[in-house]
Amino acid sequence: MNRPTVPGGLEPRDPNRRRSLTNIGGAVTKEGDRADADRLAHALDVPPATDAEDDAARGHVHGFHTYPARMHPITAARLVRAFAPPGGTVLDPFCGSGTVLVESLIAGRNARGTDLNPLAVLLAQCKTHPRTPADIDRLVADAVACAEEADARRKAKAGASRRFSPEDVELFEPHVLLELDSLRAKIGTFGGPNRSDLELLLSSVLVKLSRKPGDTGWGVRTRRTAGGFAAKLFVQRAQDLAARLSALRVLLPAPAPTATVVQDDATDLKRLPPGFVGAVVTSPPYAATYDYIAHHSLRLRWLGLDPAPLARGEIGSRTAYARLTPAAARTAWCRELDRFFRAVGRLLPPGAPMVLLMADSAVGDGAIRADEVAAEVGRACGLLPAARASQPRPHFHGPTANAFRARPRFEHALLLRKA
């Protein structure tokens, strides 16, 4: 496949050099149906990453664009192959950046995904949208055109195309802000799927080029960025994505399964195409653990994506639960899961599996045990607990550390079946 020359002579970065998600290993406890529990344990027990396993976990499109709290691809692949019927359809109602959906396609299953985060929907659509070699070449060529426009405007000392927000003025060096603005303005001249891909490429470089210490970090740091680096990095990421999309093509069976990704509320699920699904494999937000809208506010702003649906419908957010007592937090989490379980139950035929990857969480000094809550809510919703596998996980949130002093925090792979 021919690749356009990178402006400034920057060579494509090796896509396999990024670090993988962290898996710490540890003893797994099981209960329920023995065969199903063994399958759950096998999926959950991904060993601590070696360099080779790092490469596998970040392979092909999984390594494109950071996204907090992603399911490990090996776990996703094992769950899909163990519990989704061959040729059937897998639903991930909290699809995030699309890990379960991609692994479903590789395994020969059709995939459906929903998420309230518009950035997640774009990412999952990008990773699951079928591409020809010509499509992939065109993506890189369009990225080069954007970079060339940004370089030309930088050398001409052109001004900004719009007024910058105070947040962006604080987060970016002035010349970097102008380069990013030029890239964004050129991206706006494209249409079709390539525009979304180019927007995601821009999204993928924002934090690296900013003064933020990281995706989930706070505050600003001092940094110095060379002129023209933003445009070079943008094309580097385009070449990286092209290589990843090409690698995924090789892994897909023929004929390729289909994927549908829509923005929808997992506690409602009204926008999916009609019809049953063969299995649900998903990882709901962990109660009182993350604020996804805060993590993605920079990218949502730069891509012009509406955060309102996520702000209204995000479940389990740390900010919302921090105002509650431990008992009230558990009640609230049961109520939110009840709405989700009932929405999923409408789509599953009798006996079909719902597999959840969930972790214990805490409010104050009270632990919210995910396996206990899921079993309690599941029984009330006609989704009966069938098997469980659990593995201890560290807890890094100091203010709630006492909640796990007597008994450690666990991550659980949970199997429920439609009654």
Side-chain angles (χ1 to χ4, degrees), residues 338-356:
D338 182 273
R339 300 197 332 262
F340 162 51
F341 282 11
R342 292 186 188 278
V344 165
R346 294 194 298 267
L347 302 175
L348 285 172
M354 178 169 73
V355 184
L356 305 174

Side-chain angles (χ1 to χ4, degrees), residues 5 7 13 44 68 76 83-84 115 144 184 211 220 230 239 256 265 271 284 286 300 304 314 348 354 356 362 406 412:
T5 302
R13 180 175 52 80
L44 189 63
F83 294 103
D115 207 287
V144 169
R184 178 170 60 180
R211 295 184 175 116
V220 295
Q239 292 182 319
D265 188 335
R271 297 194 61 205
Y286 301 166
L300 294 172
E314 182 179 0
L348 285 172
M354 178 169 73
L356 305 174
H412 311 277

Side-chain angles (χ1 to χ4, degrees), residues 366-417:
I368 301 176
R369 298 290 176 179
D371 58 329
E372 297 173 3
V373 172
E376 175 185 327
V377 176
R379 291 188 183 98
C381 297
L383 293 166
L384 305 182
R388 171 188 63 80
S390 305
Q391 191 173 47
R393 291 286 184 263
H395 184 64
F396 298 110
H397 187 234
T400 57
N402 282 338
F404 300 106
R405 191 171 297 275
R407 179 184 168 204
R409 175 176 178 262
F410 288 89
E411 186 169 32
H412 311 277
L414 308 172
L415 173 65
L416 295 87
R417 290 191 182 274

Side-chain angles (χ1 to χ4, degrees), residues 142-417:
D142 289 347
V144 169
C146 292
E148 289 174 343
E149 175 73 9
D151 277 337
R153 287 178 59 82
R154 174 177 59 85
K155 292 172 183 176
K157 298 184 178 179
S161 69
R162 66 181 72 187
R163 183 182 295 274
F164 299 129
S165 69
E167 295 91 343
D168 290 332
V169 171
E170 180 183 21
L171 281 175
F172 296 98
E173 299 162 271
H175 68 284
V176 172
L177 196 52
L178 287 170
E179 282 191 58
L180 291 172
D181 176 67
S182 295
L183 289 169
R184 178 170 60 180
K186 181 63 176 177
I187 290 169
T189 67
F190 290 90
N194 270 19
R195 175 168 176 169
S196 295
D197 291 344
L198 294 168
E199 288 174 336
L200 289 172
L201 290 171
L202 180 65
S203 174
S204 75
V205 303
L206 286 173
V207 171
K208 183 175 180 63
L209 292 170
S210 76
R211 295 184 175 116
K212 281 173 62 70
D215 276 89
T216 58
W218 299 100
V220 295
R221 59 182 177 176
T222 301
R223 65 169 299 147
R224 291 190 176 184
T225 306
F229 178 71
K232 294 176 182 179
L233 181 62
F234 181 79
V235 175
Q236 185 183 71
R237 290 291 171 86
Q239 292 182 319
D240 185 8
L241 176 57
R244 293 178 183 280
L245 290 169
S246 298
L248 176 61
R249 275 178 52 84
V250 176
L251 299 176
L252 295 176
T258 62
T260 302
V261 185
V262 297
Q263 187 175 13
D264 201 357
D265 188 335
T267 66
D268 193 24
L269 295 178
K270 294 291 181 61
R271 297 194 61 205
L272 281 169
F276 288 117
V277 297
V280 171
V281 178
T282 192
S283 182
Y286 301 166
T289 303
Y290 294 107
D291 286 304
Y292 283 99
I293 195 166
H295 290 166
H296 297 298
S297 60
L298 171 62
R299 294 184 168 110
L300 294 172
R301 183 169 70 248
W302 270 81
L303 271 59
L305 299 173
D306 182 9
L310 181 59
R312 289 192 302 265
E314 182 179 0
I315 70 172
S317 74
R318 175 179 285 183
T319 298
Y321 277 64
R323 298 189 291 264
L324 303 176
T325 65
R330 191 184 191 281
T331 299
W333 188 230
C334 287
R335 186 167 55 247
E336 291 186 323
L337 284 184
D338 182 273
R339 300 197 332 262
F340 162 51
F341 282 11
R342 292 186 188 278
V344 165
R346 294 194 298 267
L347 302 175
L348 285 172
M354 178 169 73
V355 184
L356 305 174
L357 189 69
M358 302 178 69
D360 299 335
S361 52
V363 171
D365 59 359
I368 301 176
R369 298 290 176 179
D371 58 329
E372 297 173 3
V373 172
E376 175 185 327
V377 176
R379 291 188 183 98
C381 297
L383 293 166
L384 305 182
R388 171 188 63 80
S390 305
Q391 191 173 47
R393 291 286 184 263
H395 184 64
F396 298 110
H397 187 234
T400 57
N402 282 338
F404 300 106
R405 191 171 297 275
R407 179 184 168 204
R409 175 176 178 262
F410 288 89
E411 186 169 32
H412 311 277
L414 308 172
L415 173 65
L416 295 87
R417 290 191 182 274

Side-chain angles (χ1 to χ4, degrees), residues 1-4 132-145 190 194 198:
M1 184 182 303
N2 295 324
R3 298 285 180 225
T132 67
D135 292 333
I136 296 171
D137 280 338
R138 172 51 56 186
L139 170 62
V140 178
D142 289 347
V144 169
F190 290 90
N194 270 19
L198 294 168

